[in-house]
Amino acid sequence: MNDPFELRYDPIKKDFLYLHRITTYNMGTFYHRHEAYELYLFLHGNVNFYIENCCYHLEPGDLLVINPEEMHRSFSLDESEYERITINLQKSYLHRLSTPATHLSGCFDYRPKGKGNIVHLEESQLKQFLQFTGDLEEALSSDAYGTDIIANSSIAQLLVLTNTIFQNASFIPTDIMPELVRKTMDYIEAHLGQNITLEQLAGIFHLNSTYISRQFKKHTGLTLRSYLLDRRVSLAKSYLCEGLSITEACYQSGFSDYANFIRSFTKIAGISPGKFAKKNASLPE
């Protein structure tokens, strides 16, 4: 099976994308990102949710917030009914809903990457959240006068509620990510600019390289090579945002071949390094 580069960074074409899904078959995504913020409410099922180097077994009423730079995946452990609500929100749209006094992106941005992503809603909070999503669903299914404003209002209220809950949260989730997978991710992150091989990892962890590879694929849905390429492209993007040249970004993010860098960046990010750098340079600070 080929590595799914083309789906790694899902584009969101609208201001927001609302989905209330129920599936009754075993399914799991691979590690990916969305080109938008994401609210994810878990309602029913037997599901593990991975974010960066953490993994949580979800309980009904768990609410997660994910920013565009956080890799994540859900994995259904059996064929029981899996129900969830997801709302993807473009950064520009969310910023338009915000005011100088109320920054609605706080729950997504103002925390360490891959940390503080999850809270468990109390019964009253869940009821209120579902009331807002119900209003949103109703507005989206109608073409009556004013439904666009009602939809925007429902999303704004959801974000105010979500930020308030996260600001006051004391919930400490149980992280069940296998130690080997976490250590592999942490090693890769710390050595992105250097040469990394499976044989090196086997020597560091004193484990069979095939075992490491299989365990990593089992929990991420990606091969080590695919994951490493993704992290290096992500690092290159940050270098380009800082103003480094394409050549500097290429080699400092761990690529040894310029042509391979251009090809991998374009395939994973959906845009060439040159166009990405130009687009980023034109964005207002």
Side-chain angles (χ1 to χ4, degrees):
M1 179 177 175
N2 293 328
D3 290 333
F5 286 117
E6 67 277 5
L7 299 176
R8 189 75 50 73
Y9 205 110
D10 292 342
I12 307 297
K13 301 298 185 182
K14 304 176 181 179
D15 280 341
F16 66 88
L17 176 64
Y18 175 86
L19 293 171
H20 185 174
R21 288 173 288 182
I22 301 175
T23 51
T24 54
Y25 55 89
N26 191 298
M27 61 83 67
T29 59
F30 48 81
Y31 262 55
H32 64 283
R33 300 186 184 93
H34 301 284
E35 199 176 25
Y37 295 117
E38 179 172 347
L39 285 177
Y40 172 103
L41 177 65
F42 178 70
L43 295 171
H44 187 70
N46 186 16
V47 172
N48 283 347
F49 202 98
Y50 297 79
I51 303 178
E52 292 291 321
N53 65 356
C54 297
C55 177
Y56 310 107
H57 184 69
L58 298 184
E59 298 292 336
D62 283 347
L63 176 64
L64 297 98
V65 293
I66 306 161
N67 71 42
E69 299 309 313
E70 291 175 319
M71 296 186 76
H72 59 282
R73 76 181 297 226
S74 62
F75 188 82
S76 183
L77 299 172
D78 56 33
E79 295 185 4
S80 59
E81 189 175 83
Y82 172 26
E83 181 178 7
R84 67 280 194 200
I85 292 173
T86 60
I87 309 174
N88 294 107
L89 304 143
Q90 286 282 9
K91 279 189 174 184
S92 58
Y93 172 69
L94 192 146
H95 292 163
R96 292 200 305 273
L97 291 179
S98 299
T99 70
T102 306
H103 299 281
L104 296 175
S105 64
C107 60
F108 300 101
D109 293 336
Y110 303 146
R111 53 179 175 74
K113 183 178 180 181
K115 306 297 180 184
N117 297 82
I118 181 171
V119 295
H120 183 74
L121 300 184
E122 299 174 1
E123 185 176 347
S124 61
Q125 294 170 332
L126 178 58
K127 183 178 180 180
Q128 191 175 11
F129 196 98
L130 291 175
Q131 177 64 55
F132 291 144
T133 57
D135 293 343
L136 178 57
E137 284 190 34
E138 186 176 346
L140 293 175
S141 65
S142 171
D143 58 0
Y145 173 80
T147 51
D148 56 337
I149 292 179
I150 293 173
N152 290 335
S153 174
S154 298
I155 290 175
Q157 291 178 89
L158 277 168
L159 288 167
V160 169
L161 175 63
T162 299
N163 276 278
T164 301
I165 291 170
F166 270 87
Q167 287 170 10
N168 299 304
S170 57
F171 178 68
I172 301 176
T174 300
D175 183 3
I176 60 171
M177 177 68 89
E179 193 65 18
L180 173 60
V181 180
R182 185 200 319 281
K183 286 182 176 180
T184 301
M185 288 180 165
D186 290 346
Y187 182 87
I188 289 173
E189 200 68 23
H191 299 84
L192 278 176
Q194 305 169 23
N195 184 46
I196 300 174
T197 66
L198 188 54
E199 290 68 27
Q200 282 179 322
L201 295 173
I204 291 167
F205 300 135
H206 307 290
L207 290 169
N208 181 275
S209 60
T210 301
Y211 177 77
I212 295 173
S213 180
R214 287 177 177 171
Q215 287 298 303
F216 194 86
K217 179 70 178 289
K218 174 183 176 181
H219 289 278
T220 67
L222 298 174
T223 63
L224 273 162
R225 175 184 175 277
S226 179
Y227 179 83
L228 178 58
L229 279 174
D230 187 281
R231 301 309 283 190
R232 282 179 168 159
V233 167
S234 180
L235 180 60
K237 287 167 71 175
S238 67
Y239 283 142
L240 292 172
C241 288
E242 293 171 8
L244 269 67
S245 70
I246 295 174
T247 301
E248 290 172 325
C250 166
Y251 294 110
Q252 290 199 32
S253 57
F255 286 90
S256 58
D257 182 272
Y258 185 78
N260 180 48
F261 167 68
I262 299 296
R263 182 169 57 251
S264 298
F265 189 106
T266 304
K267 203 167 189 180
I268 292 174
I271 186 174
S272 70
K275 289 182 178 179
F276 176 86
K278 185 176 180 180
K279 177 181 177 183
N280 183 74
S282 65
L283 293 176
E285 296 184 1

mmCIF file of all heavy atoms in Angstrom, residues 5-9 229 233 236-237 240 246 255 258-276:
data_model
loop_
_atom_site.group_PDB
_atom_site.id
_atom_site.type_symbol
_atom_site.label_atom_id
_atom_site.label_comp_id
_atom_site.label_asym_id
_atom_site.label_seq_id
_atom_site.Cartn_x
_atom_site.Cartn_y
_atom_site.Cartn_z
ATOM 1 N N PHE A 5 0.195 10.231 0.893
ATOM 2 C CA PHE A 5 0.635 11.618 0.938
ATOM 3 C C PHE A 5 -0.491 12.595 0.612
ATOM 4 O O PHE A 5 -0.638 13.625 1.244
ATOM 5 C CB PHE A 5 1.778 11.851 -0.062
ATOM 6 C CG PHE A 5 3.084 11.277 0.365
ATOM 7 C CD1 PHE A 5 3.695 10.288 -0.374
ATOM 8 C CD2 PHE A 5 3.714 11.734 1.512
ATOM 9 C CE1 PHE A 5 4.913 9.765 0.019
ATOM 10 C CE2 PHE A 5 4.941 11.210 1.906
ATOM 11 C CZ PHE A 5 5.537 10.222 1.161
ATOM 12 N N GLU A 6 -1.282 12.252 -0.405
ATOM 13 C CA GLU A 6 -2.242 13.209 -0.921
ATOM 14 C C GLU A 6 -3.344 13.533 0.081
ATOM 15 O O GLU A 6 -4.060 14.508 -0.077
ATOM 16 C CB GLU A 6 -2.865 12.682 -2.220
ATOM 17 C CG GLU A 6 -3.742 11.441 -2.061
ATOM 18 C CD GLU A 6 -2.961 10.147 -2.039
ATOM 19 O OE1 GLU A 6 -1.715 10.225 -2.047
ATOM 20 O OE2 GLU A 6 -3.576 9.077 -2.000
ATOM 21 N N LEU A 7 -3.487 12.728 1.132
ATOM 22 C CA LEU A 7 -4.531 12.976 2.121
ATOM 23 C C LEU A 7 -3.967 13.479 3.449
ATOM 24 O O LEU A 7 -4.696 13.631 4.408
ATOM 25 C CB LEU A 7 -5.335 11.681 2.368
ATOM 26 C CG LEU A 7 -6.056 11.103 1.159
ATOM 27 C CD1 LEU A 7 -6.719 9.779 1.537
ATOM 28 C CD2 LEU A 7 -7.101 12.065 0.632
ATOM 29 N N ARG A 8 -2.653 13.704 3.495
ATOM 30 C CA ARG A 8 -2.017 13.989 4.771
ATOM 31 C C ARG A 8 -2.452 15.324 5.365
ATOM 32 O O ARG A 8 -2.539 15.476 6.562
ATOM 33 C CB ARG A 8 -0.494 13.981 4.605
ATOM 34 C CG ARG A 8 0.268 14.051 5.901
ATOM 35 C CD ARG A 8 0.223 12.718 6.601
ATOM 36 N NE ARG A 8 0.600 11.680 5.666
ATOM 37 C CZ ARG A 8 1.851 11.482 5.227
ATOM 38 N NH1 ARG A 8 2.823 12.239 5.650
ATOM 39 N NH2 ARG A 8 2.116 10.520 4.379
ATOM 40 N N TYR A 9 -2.682 16.313 4.532
ATOM 41 C CA TYR A 9 -3.041 17.628 5.034
ATOM 42 C C TYR A 9 -4.352 18.027 4.375
ATOM 43 O O TYR A 9 -4.388 18.662 3.337
ATOM 44 C CB TYR A 9 -1.938 18.642 4.705
ATOM 45 C CG TYR A 9 -1.886 19.819 5.642
ATOM 46 C CD1 TYR A 9 -0.845 19.983 6.546
ATOM 47 C CD2 TYR A 9 -2.884 20.797 5.635
ATOM 48 C CE1 TYR A 9 -0.789 21.065 7.402
ATOM 49 C CE2 TYR A 9 -2.839 21.871 6.482
ATOM 50 C CZ TYR A 9 -1.794 21.999 7.357
ATOM 51 O OH TYR A 9 -1.744 23.066 8.206
ATOM 52 N N LEU A 229 9.094 12.013 6.756
ATOM 53 C CA LEU A 229 8.967 13.000 5.689
ATOM 54 C C LEU A 229 7.984 14.105 6.071
ATOM 55 O O LEU A 229 8.233 15.287 5.836
ATOM 56 C CB LEU A 229 8.512 12.323 4.392
ATOM 57 C CG LEU A 229 9.586 11.626 3.556
ATOM 58 C CD1 LEU A 229 8.935 10.893 2.384
ATOM 59 C CD2 LEU A 229 10.622 12.618 3.057
ATOM 60 N N VAL A 233 8.851 18.075 6.451
ATOM 61 C CA VAL A 233 8.151 19.098 5.668
ATOM 62 C C VAL A 233 7.548 20.142 6.615
ATOM 63 O O VAL A 233 7.593 21.347 6.343
ATOM 64 C CB VAL A 233 7.059 18.456 4.787
ATOM 65 C CG1 VAL A 233 6.125 19.522 4.221
ATOM 66 C CG2 VAL A 233 7.698 17.675 3.643
ATOM 67 N N ALA A 236 10.297 22.346 7.654
ATOM 68 C CA ALA A 236 10.673 23.226 6.539
ATOM 69 C C ALA A 236 9.688 24.381 6.402
ATOM 70 O O ALA A 236 10.086 25.522 6.117
ATOM 71 C CB ALA A 236 10.731 22.415 5.237
ATOM 72 N N LYS A 237 8.415 24.098 6.594
ATOM 73 C CA LYS A 237 7.404 25.158 6.532
ATOM 74 C C LYS A 237 7.670 26.221 7.587
ATOM 75 O O LYS A 237 7.548 27.420 7.326
ATOM 76 C CB LYS A 237 6.010 24.553 6.718
ATOM 77 C CG LYS A 237 5.521 23.764 5.517
ATOM 78 C CD LYS A 237 4.297 22.932 5.831
ATOM 79 C CE LYS A 237 3.065 23.780 6.018
ATOM 80 N NZ LYS A 237 1.859 22.933 6.202
ATOM 81 N N LEU A 240 10.552 28.332 6.420
ATOM 82 C CA LEU A 240 10.132 29.258 5.370
ATOM 83 C C LEU A 240 9.342 30.424 5.957
ATOM 84 O O LEU A 240 9.474 31.568 5.504
ATOM 85 C CB LEU A 240 9.306 28.519 4.317
ATOM 86 C CG LEU A 240 10.059 27.505 3.460
ATOM 87 C CD1 LEU A 240 9.085 26.702 2.602
ATOM 88 C CD2 LEU A 240 11.094 28.204 2.580
ATOM 89 N N ILE A 246 14.577 28.718 0.331
ATOM 90 C CA ILE A 246 14.119 27.349 0.087
ATOM 91 C C ILE A 246 15.276 26.367 0.267
ATOM 92 O O ILE A 246 15.107 25.293 0.859
ATOM 93 C CB ILE A 246 13.526 27.228 -1.330
ATOM 94 C CG1 ILE A 246 12.264 28.094 -1.446
ATOM 95 C CG2 ILE A 246 13.199 25.774 -1.662
ATOM 96 C CD1 ILE A 246 11.679 28.152 -2.835
ATOM 97 N N PHE A 255 16.603 17.221 4.781
ATOM 98 C CA PHE A 255 16.628 16.658 3.434
ATOM 99 C C PHE A 255 18.043 16.768 2.877
ATOM 100 O O PHE A 255 18.678 17.818 2.982
ATOM 101 C CB PHE A 255 15.657 17.401 2.520
ATOM 102 C CG PHE A 255 14.205 17.080 2.773
ATOM 103 C CD1 PHE A 255 13.474 17.822 3.689
ATOM 104 C CD2 PHE A 255 13.590 16.030 2.111
ATOM 105 C CE1 PHE A 255 12.142 17.528 3.938
ATOM 106 C CE2 PHE A 255 12.249 15.733 2.353
ATOM 107 C CZ PHE A 255 11.521 16.481 3.269
ATOM 108 N N TYR A 258 17.802 18.053 -2.862
ATOM 109 C CA TYR A 258 16.936 19.212 -3.108
ATOM 110 C C TYR A 258 15.707 18.836 -3.937
ATOM 111 O O TYR A 258 14.588 19.254 -3.635
ATOM 112 C CB TYR A 258 17.738 20.306 -3.820
ATOM 113 C CG TYR A 258 16.978 21.603 -4.010
ATOM 114 C CD1 TYR A 258 16.828 22.500 -2.948
ATOM 115 C CD2 TYR A 258 16.421 21.927 -5.244
ATOM 116 C CE1 TYR A 258 16.125 23.692 -3.115
ATOM 117 C CE2 TYR A 258 15.734 23.118 -5.418
ATOM 118 C CZ TYR A 258 15.581 23.991 -4.351
ATOM 119 O OH TYR A 258 14.887 25.173 -4.519
ATOM 120 N N ALA A 259 15.913 18.019 -4.966
ATOM 121 C CA ALA A 259 14.788 17.631 -5.825
ATOM 122 C C ALA A 259 13.756 16.813 -5.037
ATOM 123 O O ALA A 259 12.543 16.990 -5.205
ATOM 124 C CB ALA A 259 15.292 16.832 -7.022
ATOM 125 N N ASN A 260 14.251 15.935 -4.175
ATOM 126 C CA ASN A 260 13.345 15.136 -3.346
ATOM 127 C C ASN A 260 12.581 16.028 -2.370
ATOM 128 O O ASN A 260 11.392 15.788 -2.091
ATOM 129 C CB ASN A 260 14.137 14.077 -2.565
ATOM 130 C CG ASN A 260 13.246 13.224 -1.690
ATOM 131 O OD1 ASN A 260 12.213 12.710 -2.108
ATOM 132 N ND2 ASN A 260 13.637 13.089 -0.429
ATOM 133 N N PHE A 261 13.249 17.064 -1.870
ATOM 134 C CA PHE A 261 12.597 18.018 -0.976
ATOM 135 C C PHE A 261 11.436 18.724 -1.677
ATOM 136 O O PHE A 261 10.329 18.802 -1.147
ATOM 137 C CB PHE A 261 13.607 19.052 -0.475
ATOM 138 C CG PHE A 261 12.972 20.242 0.196
ATOM 139 C CD1 PHE A 261 12.322 20.115 1.414
ATOM 140 C CD2 PHE A 261 13.030 21.505 -0.400
ATOM 141 C CE1 PHE A 261 11.731 21.205 2.029
ATOM 142 C CE2 PHE A 261 12.443 22.597 0.202
ATOM 143 C CZ PHE A 261 11.790 22.450 1.431
ATOM 144 N N ILE A 262 11.693 19.233 -2.879
ATOM 145 C CA ILE A 262 10.651 19.937 -3.639
ATOM 146 C C ILE A 262 9.468 19.002 -3.895
ATOM 147 O O ILE A 262 8.301 19.375 -3.710
ATOM 148 C CB ILE A 262 11.200 20.468 -4.974
ATOM 149 C CG1 ILE A 262 12.346 21.470 -4.734
ATOM 150 C CG2 ILE A 262 10.075 21.117 -5.789
ATOM 151 C CD1 ILE A 262 11.947 22.725 -4.005
ATOM 152 N N ARG A 263 9.763 17.783 -4.300
ATOM 153 C CA ARG A 263 8.725 16.802 -4.626
ATOM 154 C C ARG A 263 7.923 16.419 -3.374
ATOM 155 O O ARG A 263 6.689 16.407 -3.398
ATOM 156 C CB ARG A 263 9.366 15.568 -5.246
ATOM 157 C CG ARG A 263 8.396 14.492 -5.687
ATOM 158 C CD ARG A 263 9.089 13.436 -6.516
ATOM 159 N NE ARG A 263 10.219 12.824 -5.807
ATOM 160 C CZ ARG A 263 11.492 13.033 -6.120
ATOM 161 N NH1 ARG A 263 11.811 13.843 -7.114
ATOM 162 N NH2 ARG A 263 12.462 12.438 -5.444
ATOM 163 N N SER A 264 8.606 16.119 -2.279
ATOM 164 C CA SER A 264 7.932 15.702 -1.044
ATOM 165 C C SER A 264 7.126 16.840 -0.440
ATOM 166 O O SER A 264 5.990 16.636 -0.002
ATOM 167 C CB SER A 264 8.973 15.209 -0.023
ATOM 168 O OG SER A 264 9.660 14.082 -0.507
ATOM 169 N N PHE A 265 7.690 18.035 -0.416
ATOM 170 C CA PHE A 265 6.989 19.198 0.133
ATOM 171 C C PHE A 265 5.693 19.447 -0.635
ATOM 172 O O PHE A 265 4.626 19.625 -0.036
ATOM 173 C CB PHE A 265 7.895 20.425 0.063
ATOM 174 C CG PHE A 265 7.358 21.635 0.786
ATOM 175 C CD1 PHE A 265 7.902 22.023 1.999
ATOM 176 C CD2 PHE A 265 6.307 22.393 0.259
ATOM 177 C CE1 PHE A 265 7.418 23.143 2.676
ATOM 178 C CE2 PHE A 265 5.818 23.492 0.925
ATOM 179 C CZ PHE A 265 6.373 23.879 2.139
ATOM 180 N N THR A 266 5.785 19.443 -1.948
ATOM 181 C CA THR A 266 4.618 19.739 -2.778
ATOM 182 C C THR A 266 3.537 18.681 -2.613
ATOM 183 O O THR A 266 2.345 18.996 -2.540
ATOM 184 C CB THR A 266 5.032 19.837 -4.257
ATOM 185 O OG1 THR A 266 6.060 20.827 -4.394
ATOM 186 C CG2 THR A 266 3.848 20.209 -5.128
ATOM 187 N N LYS A 267 3.939 17.424 -2.511
ATOM 188 C CA LYS A 267 2.985 16.338 -2.400
ATOM 189 C C LYS A 267 2.285 16.342 -1.039
ATOM 190 O O LYS A 267 1.081 16.117 -0.936
ATOM 191 C CB LYS A 267 3.694 15.004 -2.616
ATOM 192 C CG LYS A 267 2.774 13.879 -3.069
ATOM 193 C CD LYS A 267 3.600 12.707 -3.568
ATOM 194 C CE LYS A 267 2.695 11.668 -4.221
ATOM 195 N NZ LYS A 267 3.458 10.509 -4.732
ATOM 196 N N ILE A 268 3.043 16.620 0.015
ATOM 197 C CA ILE A 268 2.488 16.581 1.369
ATOM 198 C C ILE A 268 1.719 17.853 1.702
ATOM 199 O O ILE A 268 0.616 17.811 2.260
ATOM 200 C CB ILE A 268 3.612 16.342 2.400
ATOM 201 C CG1 ILE A 268 4.178 14.923 2.240
ATOM 202 C CG2 ILE A 268 3.091 16.534 3.828
ATOM 203 C CD1 ILE A 268 5.384 14.642 3.097
ATOM 204 N N ALA A 269 2.288 19.014 1.371
ATOM 205 C CA ALA A 269 1.674 20.289 1.718
ATOM 206 C C ALA A 269 0.633 20.747 0.700
ATOM 207 O O ALA A 269 -0.176 21.631 0.992
ATOM 208 C CB ALA A 269 2.744 21.373 1.874
ATOM 209 N N GLY A 270 0.662 20.154 -0.493
ATOM 210 C CA GLY A 270 -0.299 20.550 -1.521
ATOM 211 C C GLY A 270 0.067 21.843 -2.220
ATOM 212 O O GLY A 270 -0.747 22.410 -2.955
ATOM 213 N N ILE A 271 1.287 22.313 -1.997
ATOM 214 C CA ILE A 271 1.761 23.564 -2.586
ATOM 215 C C ILE A 271 3.280 23.500 -2.632
ATOM 216 O O ILE A 271 3.906 22.878 -1.770
ATOM 217 C CB ILE A 271 1.272 24.776 -1.747
ATOM 218 C CG1 ILE A 271 1.624 26.097 -2.417
ATOM 219 C CG2 ILE A 271 1.830 24.721 -0.335
ATOM 220 C CD1 ILE A 271 1.040 27.315 -1.694
ATOM 221 N N SER A 272 3.893 24.102 -3.640
ATOM 222 C CA SER A 272 5.354 24.061 -3.742
ATOM 223 C C SER A 272 5.979 24.945 -2.660
ATOM 224 O O SER A 272 5.334 25.876 -2.152
ATOM 225 C CB SER A 272 5.797 24.548 -5.114
ATOM 226 O OG SER A 272 5.566 25.946 -5.240
ATOM 227 N N PRO A 273 7.232 24.682 -2.276
ATOM 228 C CA PRO A 273 7.895 25.529 -1.274
ATOM 229 C C PRO A 273 7.926 26.999 -1.679
ATOM 230 O O PRO A 273 7.728 27.890 -0.844
ATOM 231 C CB PRO A 273 9.307 24.946 -1.186
ATOM 232 C CG PRO A 273 9.168 23.546 -1.656
ATOM 233 C CD PRO A 273 8.086 23.559 -2.695
ATOM 234 N N GLY A 274 8.170 27.262 -2.973
ATOM 235 C CA GLY A 274 8.225 28.644 -3.438
ATOM 236 C C GLY A 274 6.894 29.352 -3.277
ATOM 237 O O GLY A 274 6.830 30.489 -2.796
ATOM 238 N N LYS A 275 5.813 28.688 -3.687
ATOM 239 C CA LYS A 275 4.486 29.283 -3.550
ATOM 240 C C LYS A 275 4.095 29.423 -2.082
ATOM 241 O O LYS A 275 3.455 30.400 -1.697
ATOM 242 C CB LYS A 275 3.460 28.443 -4.300
ATOM 243 C CG LYS A 275 3.582 28.522 -5.810
ATOM 244 C CD LYS A 275 2.506 27.708 -6.510
ATOM 245 C CE LYS A 275 2.609 27.821 -8.018
ATOM 246 N NZ LYS A 275 1.577 26.996 -8.716
ATOM 247 N N PHE A 276 4.489 28.434 -1.266
ATOM 248 C CA PHE A 276 4.190 28.514 0.168
ATOM 249 C C PHE A 276 4.887 29.727 0.788
ATOM 250 O O PHE A 276 4.280 30.475 1.558
ATOM 251 C CB PHE A 276 4.632 27.245 0.877
ATOM 252 C CG PHE A 276 4.455 27.278 2.375
ATOM 253 C CD1 PHE A 276 3.229 26.912 2.942
ATOM 254 C CD2 PHE A 276 5.487 27.682 3.205
ATOM 255 C CE1 PHE A 276 3.050 26.966 4.321
ATOM 256 C CE2 PHE A 276 5.318 27.734 4.582
ATOM 257 C CZ PHE A 276 4.103 27.378 5.138
#
